C-alpha cells in the first residue's frame, strides 16, 4: 500500500487514519456539482466522471459520510475529522475544480 500524504490549506492530516472512501459518479448528461461539507467546497463532475471522497480520522458512532441528493448536485458530509476529494486516479482536487463560469453569480 502506498503511503498517502495529504496537505491542504496548511493542515497536515497525513497522520490521520483513512476511515472511508466513497466514489461519486455522474451518470447524468450535464455537469454535477459535488459539495464537500461542512466547509462547502465545490467540485464539478463531467458526465461519466468519478470522484472519490475520502474520510480521515474518527467519525464517532455513526457513519463516515452522510449524503444529500439534489436535482443537479450531491452534498457529502464527512462526519470525521477531515475529508478530501480526488479523481479516479488518486490525484487530490482543489475546491472549484471544473467550476463552470457563472456557477455562483454575485
Amino acid at each position: 500500500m502506498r503511503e498517502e500524504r495529504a496537505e491542504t490549506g496548511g493542515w497536515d492530516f497525513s497522520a490521520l487514519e483513512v476511515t472511508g472512501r466513497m466514489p461519486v459518479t455522474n451518470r447524468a448528461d450535464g455537469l454535477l456539482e459535488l459539495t464537500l461539507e461542512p466547509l462547502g467546497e465545490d467540485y464539478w463532475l463531467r458526465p461519466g466522471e468519478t470522484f472519490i471522497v475520502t474520510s480521515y480520522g474518527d467519525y464517532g458512532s455513526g457513519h463516515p459520510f452522510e449524503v444529500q441528493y439534489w436535482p443537479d448536485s450531491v452534498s457529502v458530509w464527512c462526519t470525521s475529522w477531515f475529508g478530501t476529494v480526488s479523481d479516479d486516479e488518486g490525484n487530490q482536487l482543489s475546491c472549484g475544480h471544473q467550476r463552470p463560469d457563472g456557477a455562483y453569480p454575485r
Side-chain angles (χ1 to χ4, degrees):
M1 181 161 120
R2 70 181 182 144
E3 179 182 330
E4 291 190 34
R5 174 135 177 103
E7 293 185 48
T8 264
W11 288 51
D12 178 2
F13 52 94
S14 60
L16 293 174
E17 176 186 5
V18 171
T19 52
R21 283 192 173 91
M22 180 178 64
V24 176
T25 302
N26 182 2
R27 297 287 183 209
D29 293 331
L31 283 174
L32 175 69
E33 179 184 11
L34 166 64
T35 305
L36 182 62
E37 299 290 3
L39 299 178
E41 297 173 337
D42 65 311
Y43 306 84
W44 296 77
L45 293 92
R46 294 182 178 129
E49 275 188 313
T50 298
F51 292 166
I52 308 298
V53 180
T54 302
S55 169
Y56 297 87
D58 183 32
Y59 54 85
S61 61
H63 299 281
F65 306 105
E66 293 179 18
V67 180
Q68 298 172 341
Y69 297 93
W70 310 99
D72 295 320
S73 67
V74 59
S75 295
V76 177
W77 288 79
C78 284
T79 59
S80 60
W81 285 92
F82 203 82
T84 60
V85 176
S86 59
D87 64 18
D88 209 17
E89 296 176 4
N91 302 304
Q92 188 170 324
L93 304 175
S94 298
C95 177
H97 180 75
Q98 300 181 152
R99 181 186 301 145
D101 290 339
Y104 299 115
R106 293 179 189 216

